[in-house]
Amino acid sequence: MSSLPSSVDVAIIGAGAAGLGAVHALQGSGLSVIVLEARNRLGGRAWTVQASPEVIFDVGCGWLHSADRNSFVAIAKRLNFALNTDLPPWRDRAFGEVFPERERDEFAREIDAFYDRVSEAAEAGADAPAERYLEPGNRWNPMINAVSTYVNGCELDRVSILDMDAYEDTYFNWRVRAGYGALIAAYGASCPVVLNCNVSLIDHSGRRIQIETSSGTLTADKVIVTVPTNLIADEAIRFSPPLPAKVDAAAGLPLGVDDKVVLALEDAEAFPKEGNLRGATMRTAMGTFHIRPFGQPCIDGFFGGTFARDLEDAGEGAFAAQSIDEIADYLGNDIRRKLKPLAESRWGHDPFARGAYSHALPGHAGDRAALAAPVDGRLFFAGEATSPNFFTTAHGARDSGERAAKEVLAALLRP
């Protein structure tokens, strides 16, 4: 890793997928570039850990969504990371009898009809909360809302239908066998990055931009800001002069909460590989579980929205305890002795994330473009929240960093 220089042409704030995409796009430009990262590692909200000798766990993003258009697919192949192209277990690989096939089919029809209503309403052009398009009295509404907490990090009352409709999903969802976080860290391994370097102030009042960090101060001609929206909205990084339009746009694109947990599974061979476990319990506060991902001896749990936030607030271990309780409800109390907590995330409590990924509040779908817009040809913005169609994804973040880097180069060519 690099040490902090006193002056560079371009400073990039954040070594997540967006920051790494930006620095790669600037390679060969002849510009001096540095990436400033508050964490002690690369990747941001992409992070792979060895949870046990037998289990690799993506604490953050794990799926290469829209894989046929995902820029990390080519990167994975170039870096010799093996890809898994099996169908995800979300719909068809149900395990146990808690969610019978007849009910799964009924739920699939109802959630598809809900998405159709949202899409039809969005085409009319007026924004509204997605909750409005739940069918009154439909027994599946709580579970449709649960899916929103997984997809958006929040319940449907906080989701813009225009934003929801703008998201592009090609339904190809692949995985990286060694971990998505590991791939992104490898992608950034050759980049000039200063770790443990927390930026507090970007002063763009003078001829050169001055950046105050926990490791010292440096100056730059151009700055690319790639931090999560909650840090901008909370003014954890301040701008001088202030940028109220950016703060407002970031506040309109808050990060919802999504969290993951992994449990070691004894006697794993008795359970199917790549199974899915969730209950037709007609509630929104529920997890969804992935049995033996990649055939590993574990179960992954996923929680979102208000429920995930409450479990984070309950403290370390709450996700594991909740998961074990839910799995025991579905499969019987005997399974408790076969499950052991290994690792879990708490992204809402992470000081450098403060959430998982962005959603546009009703009336704020336009804030993605507002947040992405450059300021005075000197300040540029990237990150998944600035992606017009692939927000919430690592490749959307990476591509936005590349876009911001091209804006920097274009600004330098102007007389």
Side-chain angles (χ1 to χ4, degrees):
M1 293 296 121
S2 303
S3 56
L4 189 72
S6 59
S7 174
V8 290
D9 295 321
V10 184
I12 299 167
I13 317 301
L20 299 177
V23 70
H24 273 278
L26 291 171
Q27 286 177 348
S29 66
L31 299 170
S32 58
V33 181
I34 196 72
V35 184
L36 308 177
E37 171 53 51
R39 303 179 191 277
N40 62 0
R41 60 172 179 81
L42 302 177
R45 288 166 278 168
W47 183 24
T48 303
V49 299
Q50 189 79 45
S52 78
E54 301 86 15
V55 175
I56 291 171
F57 177 54
D58 268 317
V59 185
C61 55
W63 291 92
L64 290 89
H65 296 296
S66 298
D68 54 332
R69 294 181 57 192
N70 188 314
S71 52
F72 274 117
V73 168
I75 292 165
K77 292 176 179 176
R78 188 171 76 240
L79 295 177
N80 295 315
F81 276 72
L83 296 176
N84 179 290
T85 62
D86 293 345
L87 287 173
W90 301 323
R91 277 205 176 182
D92 298 326
R93 297 186 191 169
F95 176 68
E97 297 302 318
V98 292
F99 199 1
E101 183 176 8
R102 177 183 56 77
E103 292 195 348
R104 293 200 310 273
D105 291 345
E106 183 182 333
F107 172 65
R109 286 193 299 273
E110 293 299 333
I111 196 169
D112 288 346
F114 163 73
Y115 284 129
D116 288 344
R117 291 191 295 272
V118 167
S119 183
E120 186 178 334
E123 286 175 13
D127 208 352
E131 181 184 52
R132 188 174 298 176
Y133 298 94
L134 292 172
E135 192 176 63
N138 190 307
R139 67 181 289 235
W140 295 106
N141 285 349
M143 263 190 103
I144 294 172
N145 222 353
V147 171
S148 176
T149 70
Y150 310 144
V151 172
N152 301 303
C154 67
E155 288 73 12
L156 291 164
D157 62 329
R158 291 176 56 82
V159 179
S160 152
I161 63 167
L162 295 183
D163 194 59
M164 201 169 155
D165 194 57
Y167 181 76
E168 292 184 15
D169 189 348
T170 68
Y171 301 101
F172 286 89
N173 297 285
W174 297 351
R175 286 172 294 169
V176 183
R177 180 62 187 89
Y180 206 163
L183 169 62
I184 292 173
Y187 176 59
S190 63
C191 297
V193 180
V194 183
L195 297 178
N196 301 302
C197 185
N198 188 18
V199 172
S200 57
L201 176 68
I202 299 172
D203 184 342
H204 56 110
S205 61
R207 186 179 66 82
R208 301 198 86 226
I209 301 169
Q210 184 166 297
I211 305 164
E212 293 185 8
T213 84
S214 58
S215 302
T217 301
L218 73 155
T219 60
D221 290 322
K222 313 285 185 189
V223 173
I224 301 175
V225 179
T226 76
V227 301
T229 55
N230 285 2
L231 271 67
I232 297 173
D234 295 345
E235 298 190 78
I237 295 177
R238 294 183 300 112
F239 296 93
S240 180
L243 297 176
K246 293 297 183 189
V247 173
D248 289 349
L253 302 166
L255 267 60
V257 177
D258 281 288
D259 284 299
K260 299 165 76 174
V261 63
V262 60
L263 308 170
L265 176 63
E266 270 186 39
D267 302 326
E269 293 301 322
F271 297 83
K273 296 178 181 179
E274 307 287 4
N276 180 257
L277 180 64
R278 59 176 169 169
T281 51
M282 309 309 162
R283 68 179 191 263
T284 299
M286 61 186 290
T288 182
F289 302 96
H290 187 171
I291 301 171
R292 298 186 64 200
F294 299 117
Q296 299 179 125
C298 66
I299 297 179
D300 287 354
F302 195 78
F303 296 84
T306 304
F307 191 38
R309 194 178 297 276
D310 289 345
L311 288 169
E312 284 202 16
D313 290 345
E316 201 73 40
F319 286 105
Q322 177 65 33
S323 297
I324 291 170
D325 284 347
E326 288 195 28
I327 293 167
D329 281 348
Y330 299 151
L331 302 182
N333 231 29
D334 286 350
I335 199 168
R336 288 181 183 275
R337 61 181 176 80
K338 298 183 179 182
L339 299 172
K340 184 180 78 174
L342 292 177
E344 63 186 21
S345 69
R346 294 174 74 212
W347 289 110
H349 280 72
D350 183 308
F352 305 124
R354 305 189 185 188
Y357 35 70
S358 67
H359 59 277
L361 296 172
H364 290 268
D367 286 353
R368 296 200 186 277
L371 184 60
V375 175
D376 297 332
R378 298 201 302 160
L379 294 176
F380 303 83
F381 293 81
E384 56 85 10
T386 70
S387 173
N389 307 111
F390 289 130
F391 44 85
T392 77
T393 69
H395 72 284
R398 195 219 69 86
D399 296 352
S400 76
E402 188 173 89
R403 180 262 306 153
K406 290 176 180 177
E407 291 171 347
V408 166
L409 296 174
L412 289 168
L413 291 174
R414 293 191 198 107

